[in-house]
Amino acid sequence: MTRIAIADDHPLITNSIENILNHTGYYTVCGTYESGESLLAGLPEVMPEVLILDYHLPDQNGAQLARSIAYYYPGIKILVLTGFDKPGLLSEMLESGCSGYLLKTSAKTDVLLEALQTICKGGIYIDKSLKEIFAENLHRTHAAQIKEEGLRLTKRELEILGLIVNELSSQEIADRLFISKKTVDNHRSSIIMKTGAKNNFALMKIAIDLKLI
Amino acid sequence: MTRIAIADDHPLITNSIENILNHTGYYTVCGTYESGESLLAGLPEVMPEVLILDYHLPDQNGAQLARSIAYYYPGIKILVLTGFDKPGLLSEMLESGCSGYLLKTSAKTDVLLEALQTICKGGIYIDKSLKEIFAENLHRTHAAQIKEEGLRLTKRELEILGLIVNELSSQEIADRLFISKKTVDNHRSSIIMKTGAKNNFALMKIAIDLKLI
DNA sequence: CCAGCCATAGGTACCAATCCCTATTTTACT
DNA sequence: AGTAAAATAGGGATTGGTACCTATGGCTGG
């Protein structure tokens, strides 16, 4: 019997999961919690193998909570449940030490058990419906890319932008590339004009978008 | 027989994977490619169900390549192979439409087959050893957090840093906070002194670390 | 072959940011 | 209540980046 704890502030969800798990014969629910605080207080006693964690608990940030638990109880595997996916949440939770990521809309019996099985074997389980979400985003970014083609930066401009955001002054860039500071300034102006950047910080954001950093 | 294509510039790896797959009886290798260009040229003819894609192809960026393929051939499932994990690569590849992410060091027979099985069923497979990498990072960030406590920025300084990196000039910040530009400049100096930042761009990086952006 | 783009370079002027100071008031902690 | 830290404000000098010009040599595609 694998011991599972559940943290969710909706008793209906907690009950539903508890029912599903108890009917398997493989899993036993050893604790249910409605807040981050009660969860942290209860964990040392029950020490489950897996924690099913709602991302949106009322009192604590889900990622921070997961980080704390993953840090202090490295043996506990965390399956995150979230009502809706937002960009970056998946990677944030994975990097916070979670082993699984499920949307509540897909958390039906078979999916939940499949996820738990994968996690218990030491694997990482990711909700399949994320593939569709990513695919939609692909179409969005593809459209944005085409739009950007118009005001594309030249090779030299990209090179100089890379140096700018690496904290070099125009003079330093000039020395490194064996060109005059004036030329660097001109390139800089072109970059600013093409990108519509207001100042250095806007440039930095663009560089981040272009993955120069 | 599920049709698999392989893109990797190391023939040894391609051969090894081909051998593994051919011995299963379930999979057949319908094409091998050593560059992004030849891959894109060959795909329309062979149309595999799964593409095993090396992230580090000589001629193209792995993420862009994956995006193109996921965009133009939404039916092809992509399993990414990478020699080493770097932060953000996993989420980048997932968001580029990939269904699986494997480190070459863990790509042994059983793992490879498990990954392919998951992917063919429409799932997402993530290398288990990433859990350990994430766990290490957890310890790093935790340590870094403690270290940063020493030269902590004051509330006001954090507030102003937030505005600075949101592209506001000192004057604009002064107007918004109803203080003089001089005060803003002084806070700016304190921030620069405390953080050791050389200029705006270093500040931006610090703000990113502090999650102000 | 020529038009257009790119990379190169310089001049001038302006403004924003930075450095190096001093100094007052407010807040927080002992 | 008293002290330290934080937030406020200013002067003056310097540096760095930006705007708006002109101009030339090299490469490329129609």
Side-chain angles (χ1 to χ4, degrees):
Chain A
M1 296 280 273
T2 304
R3 299 157 56 76
I4 314 263
I6 307 173
D8 198 306
D9 57 327
H10 304 286
L12 282 175
I13 293 184
T14 311
N15 281 335
S16 162
I17 296 177
E18 207 170 346
N19 271 331
I20 293 174
L21 297 186
N22 282 336
H23 280 80
T24 60
Y26 293 115
Y27 301 107
T28 172
V29 175
C30 59
T32 62
Y33 309 92
E34 298 194 354
S35 70
E37 204 187 331
S38 61
L39 171 64
L40 287 173
L43 267 189
E45 299 166 36
V46 303
M47 285 303 280
E49 281 189 46
V50 179
L51 167 66
I52 297 177
L53 175 67
D54 181 16
Y55 177 73
H56 301 278
L57 286 184
D59 59 337
Q60 294 217 21
N61 173 278
Q64 279 178 327
L65 190 55
R67 261 197 292 276
S68 298
I69 296 171
Y71 185 78
Y72 292 109
Y73 309 94
I76 299 181
K77 290 146 188 164
I78 305 175
L79 170 60
V80 177
L81 273 187
T82 177
F84 51 92
D85 180 66
K86 69 177 178 184
L89 187 56
L90 165 64
S91 49
E92 186 183 7
M93 296 314 288
L94 285 180
E95 281 159 21
S96 298
C98 297
S99 299
Y101 186 87
L102 261 192
L103 300 184
K104 285 186 179 175
T105 49
S106 13
K108 309 185 201 311
T109 303
D110 51 345
V111 177
L112 187 62
L113 295 181
E114 192 180 341
L116 283 177
Q117 199 191 343
T118 303
I119 290 173
C120 286
K121 286 196 296 183
I124 295 175
Y125 187 90
I126 312 272
D127 196 315
K128 294 174 187 177
S129 54
L130 285 192
K131 279 190 67 174
E132 288 144 40
I133 294 176
F134 292 143
E136 275 173 39
N137 288 343
L138 257 193
H139 282 76
R140 252 201 323 100
T141 46
H142 194 260
Q145 247 177 15
I146 290 170
K147 206 173 120 195
E148 275 171 26
E149 305 278 324
L151 36 112
R152 187 165 18 206
L153 300 181
T154 67
K155 247 193 255 175
R156 196 58 152 175
E157 285 164 352
L158 275 177
E159 184 181 9
I160 287 177
L161 177 56
L163 294 172
I164 288 175
V165 298
N166 271 303
E167 303 165 34
L168 275 70
S169 70
S170 291
Q171 189 56 62
E172 286 169 331
I173 295 172
D175 293 343
R176 177 175 301 204
L177 299 182
F178 305 107
I179 59 180
S180 98
K181 174 180 172 300
K182 267 295 162 193
T183 306
V184 177
D185 283 336
N186 285 335
H187 284 305
R188 190 186 214 116
S189 298
S190 306
I191 295 168
I192 288 174
M193 192 194 51
K194 283 184 184 176
T195 58
K198 180 180 159 193
N199 59 21
N200 287 341
F201 294 105
L203 272 191
M204 176 71 87
K205 289 183 183 172
I206 288 161
I208 291 171
D209 282 347
L210 294 175
K211 312 238 148 76
L212 292 179
I213 296 187
Chain B
M1 294 282 272
T2 304
R3 299 156 56 76
I4 313 262
I6 308 173
D8 198 305
D9 57 327
H10 304 286
L12 282 175
I13 292 184
T14 311
N15 281 335
S16 162
I17 296 176
E18 209 170 346
N19 270 330
I20 292 174
L21 296 186
N22 282 336
H23 279 79
T24 61
Y26 294 114
Y27 301 107
T28 172
V29 175
C30 58
T32 61
Y33 308 92
E34 299 194 353
S35 70
E37 205 186 330
S38 60
L39 171 64
L40 287 173
L43 267 188
E45 298 165 37
V46 304
M47 285 303 280
E49 281 188 45
V50 179
L51 166 65
I52 298 177
L53 176 66
D54 181 16
Y55 177 73
H56 302 275
L57 286 185
D59 59 338
Q60 294 217 22
N61 172 280
Q64 279 179 329
L65 191 55
R67 262 197 292 275
S68 298
I69 296 170
Y71 185 79
Y72 292 110
Y73 311 94
I76 300 181
K77 291 147 188 164
I78 305 174
L79 169 61
V80 177
L81 273 188
T82 177
F84 52 92
D85 180 66
K86 69 177 178 184
L89 188 56
L90 165 63
S91 49
E92 186 183 7
M93 296 314 288
L94 285 180
E95 281 158 20
S96 299
C98 298
S99 299
Y101 185 87
L102 262 191
L103 300 185
K104 285 187 179 174
T105 48
S106 13
K108 307 184 202 312
T109 304
D110 50 345
V111 177
L112 189 62
L113 294 181
E114 193 181 339
L116 283 177
Q117 198 191 343
T118 303
I119 290 173
C120 286
K121 285 196 297 183
I124 296 175
Y125 188 90
I126 311 275
D127 197 312
K128 294 174 186 175
S129 54
L130 285 191
K131 279 190 67 174
E132 287 143 41
I133 294 175
F134 291 144
E136 273 172 41
N137 287 344
L138 258 192
H139 283 78
R140 244 200 333 97
T141 45
H142 195 260
Q145 251 174 13
I146 291 170
K147 204 176 124 195
E148 274 171 25
E149 307 277 324
L151 39 109
R152 189 167 19 208
L153 300 180
T154 68
K155 249 193 252 173
R156 195 58 153 175
E157 285 164 351
L158 275 177
E159 184 182 7
I160 287 176
L161 176 54
L163 294 172
I164 288 175
V165 297
N166 271 301
E167 303 165 34
L168 275 70
S169 70
S170 292
Q171 189 57 60
E172 287 169 330
I173 295 172
D175 293 343
R176 178 177 299 204
L177 299 182
F178 305 108
I179 59 180
S180 98
K181 175 179 172 302
K182 262 299 165 190
T183 306
V184 176
D185 283 336
N186 284 335
H187 284 305
R188 194 193 280 263
S189 298
S190 304
I191 295 168
I192 289 174
M193 193 193 50
K194 283 185 184 175
T195 58
K198 182 180 159 192
N199 58 21
N200 288 342
F201 294 103
L203 272 191
M204 177 70 87
K205 289 182 184 172
I206 288 161
I208 293 171
D209 282 346
L210 294 176
K211 309 223 176 335
L212 291 180
I213 296 186

